[in-house]
Amino acid sequence: MRTTVRLLTGIAMALATTGLAAHGAHAGDFGELEVYPSPATPGTEITVNTTACGKDGHGVGDARSLGAGEFKLWPGTHKEVAVGRFTVPEDTRPGTYGIEVRCKNGKEATGDLEVRHREPSGHVRTGVGGSVGPDTTQIAAGAAVLTAAAVGGTLLLRRRASGAQRG
């Protein structure tokens, strides 16, 4: 009984998910706009492309939501793909921004661009550790301490072993 209920619940959820994801294509619907790279950092050149513009492949893009203004779309190297480019302004804050394109054929396409902060790079200068290059003096001192401990341990064990046999 439980297996049947789980099976039916799984099927119902799969159908509901498919039904929610599917939508009809009608005139005036927004097409898909591919945005690359996303996520991006301020200063990155962004390339967008869409097939919504058809054979003509011309249109105007709108990236004003992140402060980049408008940009032109031109026919790309692939059949029926329009391509445009813009640069993420240096003062853009992290977040997700909507990018829109209006094609000369009257169709529109939308996509999202995620902007993130730049990742720090280089060594972190916070003290002696993995972030600083090797220091031969410290390496030699550490090796000397380990050697002294090994020699002392060996002598101690030999002394105890020889003292145990005399008695």
Side-chain angles (χ1 to χ4, degrees):
M1 180 69 178
R2 273 187 143 165
T3 306
T4 306
V5 171
R6 285 183 183 172
L7 177 64
L8 293 175
T9 303
I11 291 172
M13 292 186 74
L15 290 174
T17 303
T18 305
L20 292 174
H23 61 279
H26 298 88
D29 277 354
F30 283 87
E32 182 180 348
L33 183 68
E34 293 180 5
V35 181
Y36 180 80
S38 183
T41 58
T44 303
E45 183 179 55
I46 303 299
T47 302
V48 298
N49 63 58
T50 184
T51 56
C53 295
K55 290 181 181 179
D56 180 32
H58 288 85
V60 177
D62 180 2
R64 288 181 284 194
S65 63
L66 61 110
E70 291 187 341
F71 57 94
K72 301 267 186 207
L73 270 80
W74 304 97
T77 56
H78 296 289
K79 187 177 181 180
E80 296 187 19
V81 175
V83 178
R85 290 183 178 83
F86 64 91
T87 301
V88 178
E90 290 292 336
D91 61 345
T92 303
R93 294 181 179 262
T96 301
Y97 297 88
I99 310 298
E100 299 176 1
V101 169
R102 292 176 304 286
C103 300
K104 287 203 174 195
N105 64 5
K107 292 186 179 180
E108 297 180 351
T110 61
D112 289 332
L113 170 65
E114 182 183 352
V115 177
R116 293 184 181 170
H117 281 296
R118 286 192 176 97
E119 296 293 325
S121 62
H123 294 291
V124 179
R125 307 284 183 197
T126 59
V128 179
S131 63
V132 179
D135 183 359
T136 54
T137 305
Q138 290 178 349
I139 292 172
V145 169
L146 288 174
T147 302
V151 169
T154 303
L155 291 175
L156 182 64
L157 288 175
R158 289 188 74 198
R159 187 172 182 197
R160 284 190 178 175
S162 64
Q165 291 176 357
R166 289 184 194 171

